[in-house]
């Protein structure tokens, strides 16, 4: 929603305190922003959010459909560097939505290109210790299931949908 970073920091503090009171080992992962949203996150950290999180999350998609290693690396590293500025260079980073669509609309690639680029995401992230990766969707969304056709939310999965010719098979 359109909450301010300051209100987010206040809410995060309250939630963090409740979670830790009920489960001291519980983990509070903050933000989960679509893209790193650095200026917004910075303002929340300045408002005190840095003291009430065990990790941070972002969704570093490359929305132009062409995965580019230097752009991805710079995007994630800038998120990591922000926490170092606030005294938390060891902040666990969770890349909680990542993936490449295999749809041709808007210049996106085919299933083979998507598979190669997904492997590249994982390889670069692991090799450079950029964080923990979570695939956006394990199974492709079939047209008219969950999202309307053409919504941009289809064809992100690593497996084919159950209604496809070879159900739940690996792609490509």
């Amino acid at each position: 929603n359109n909450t301010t970073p300051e209100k987010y920091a206040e809410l995060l503090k309250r939630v963090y305190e409740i979670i830790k009171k009920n489960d001291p080992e519980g983990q509070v992962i903050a933000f989960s922003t679509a893209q790193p949203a650095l200026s917004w996150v910075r303002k929340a950290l300045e408002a005190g959010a840095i003291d009430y999180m065990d990790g941070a999350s972002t969704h570093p998609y490359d929305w132009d459909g062409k995965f580019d290693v230097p752009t991805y690396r710079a995007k994630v590293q800038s998120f990591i560097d922000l926490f170092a500025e606030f005294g938390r260079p060891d902040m666990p980073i969770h890349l909680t939505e990542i993936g490449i669509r295999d749809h041709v609309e808007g210049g996106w690639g085919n299933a083979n290109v998507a598979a190669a680029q997904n492997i590249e995401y994982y390889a670069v992230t692991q090799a450079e210790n950029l964080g923990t990766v979570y695939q956006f969707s394990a199974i492709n969304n079939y047209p008219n299931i969950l999202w309307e056709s053409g919504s941009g939310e289809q064809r992100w999965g690593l497996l084919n949908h159950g209604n496809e010719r070879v159900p739940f098979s690996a792609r490509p």
Side-chain angles (χ1 to χ4, degrees):
N1 64 26
N2 293 321
T3 194
T4 67
E6 295 78 15
K7 285 183 180 176
Y8 180 86
E10 182 182 317
L11 177 63
L12 181 62
K13 177 184 179 190
R14 286 190 273 163
V15 168
Y16 182 90
E17 289 170 345
I18 291 167
I19 290 172
K20 293 299 183 174
K21 178 181 176 186
N22 289 288
D23 181 1
E25 300 301 315
Q27 297 291 294
V28 177
I29 309 301
F31 301 118
S32 196
T33 59
Q35 299 302 330
L38 297 176
S39 63
W40 195 95
V41 171
R42 176 182 296 283
K43 289 176 185 171
L45 296 174
E46 289 169 348
I50 192 73
D51 297 323
Y52 301 99
M53 63 176 67
D54 301 305
S57 167
T58 189
H59 310 163
Y61 285 110
D62 191 347
W63 285 106
D64 69 3
K66 294 167 183 60
F67 177 67
D68 176 70
V69 172
T71 301
Y72 170 71
R73 180 186 298 120
K75 191 182 298 185
V76 175
Q77 190 62 54
S78 64
F79 192 65
I80 293 167
D81 291 347
L82 186 57
F83 294 96
E85 279 183 47
F86 283 83
R88 297 287 304 275
D90 59 340
M91 178 67 70
I93 301 298
H94 300 271
L95 306 171
T96 50
E97 279 190 23
I98 207 166
I100 298 286
R101 253 176 102 201
D102 77 345
H103 207 279
V104 229
E105 293 173 7
W108 297 78
N110 61 33
N112 291 325
V113 170
Q117 290 177 339
N118 271 305
I119 290 168
E120 224 175 342
Y121 261 128
Y122 285 93
V124 168
T125 304
Q126 293 303 307
E128 299 186 21
N129 197 30
L130 296 175
T132 303
V133 176
Y134 302 81
Q135 178 71 24
F136 168 64
S137 182
I139 300 173
N140 266 350
N141 298 314
Y142 200 69
N144 299 317
I145 295 179
L146 301 179
W147 291 288
E148 292 298 317
S149 181
S151 73
E153 296 294 338
Q154 298 173 358
R155 313 282 317 159
W156 290 86
L158 299 175
L159 301 174
N160 286 314
H161 190 276
N163 291 343
E164 294 194 34
R165 188 175 54 82
V166 181
F168 304 112
S169 58
R171 304 180 28 239

